[in-house]
Amino acid sequence: LGLSEFALPPQTKRKWMYNLFRYVYPLWTLCFAVYSSRKMESQTPFEAVITLGAQFITLLAADYYAYEFCIVPPWFYWHRFRINSACVLALVVLSLSEQMATRGRVTRLNM
């Protein structure tokens, strides 16, 4: 992204924000994945699904801020919006399923 100056002019006041989204954002999603796997290991599946949904909504909020501050182009934001919305919708359907409503059995992941 930096070599092609994707969605950012060479001189701008928001260079710090661009670097923040460029370097921290991938690590942020990795931290969410590790946190949700630990959540699935220690709590019921329903609570893990709720946590994962909250994480997708948080990522959507970060994408929105990047779009509002003109760090990413509009097509990129709408693309991410559709993907994250589909994931949240799938998690809502999963959380409303009959097996999740009865809280099922606690899963144990060996990691």
Side-chain angles (χ1 to χ4, degrees):
L1 291 175
L3 293 176
S4 63
E5 296 175 359
F6 178 66
L8 189 75
Q11 300 296 326
T12 182
K13 291 185 265 185
R14 296 191 182 105
K15 186 72 170 172
W16 66 272
M17 191 177 292
Y18 172 75
N19 287 331
L20 179 75
F21 276 99
R22 183 176 173 197
Y23 297 118
V24 176
Y25 194 72
L27 295 175
W28 191 19
T29 55
L30 180 65
C31 290
F32 276 166
V34 170
Y35 178 71
S36 62
S37 70
R38 294 294 177 200
K39 195 81 154 171
M40 286 180 66
E41 188 177 285
S42 64
Q43 294 185 350
T44 62
F46 181 76
E47 292 168 347
V49 167
I50 296 300
T51 303
L52 196 57
Q55 291 168 356
F56 272 112
I57 291 171
T58 304
L59 290 175
L60 187 61
D63 288 336
Y64 176 74
Y65 280 122
Y67 167 71
E68 279 297 312
F69 287 115
C70 300
I71 294 175
V72 296
W75 64 266
F76 182 79
Y77 168 70
W78 290 111
H79 177 72
R80 293 283 300 222
F81 177 78
R82 285 190 290 259
I83 290 173
N84 285 341
S85 298
C87 291
V88 169
L89 181 64
L91 288 171
V92 166
V93 169
L94 179 64
S95 68
L96 295 176
S97 69
E98 186 175 335
Q99 187 176 5
M100 281 289 187
T102 59
R103 298 243 178 182
R105 64 181 181 88
V106 176
T107 59
R108 292 288 178 200
L109 299 176
N110 296 325
M111 299 189 98

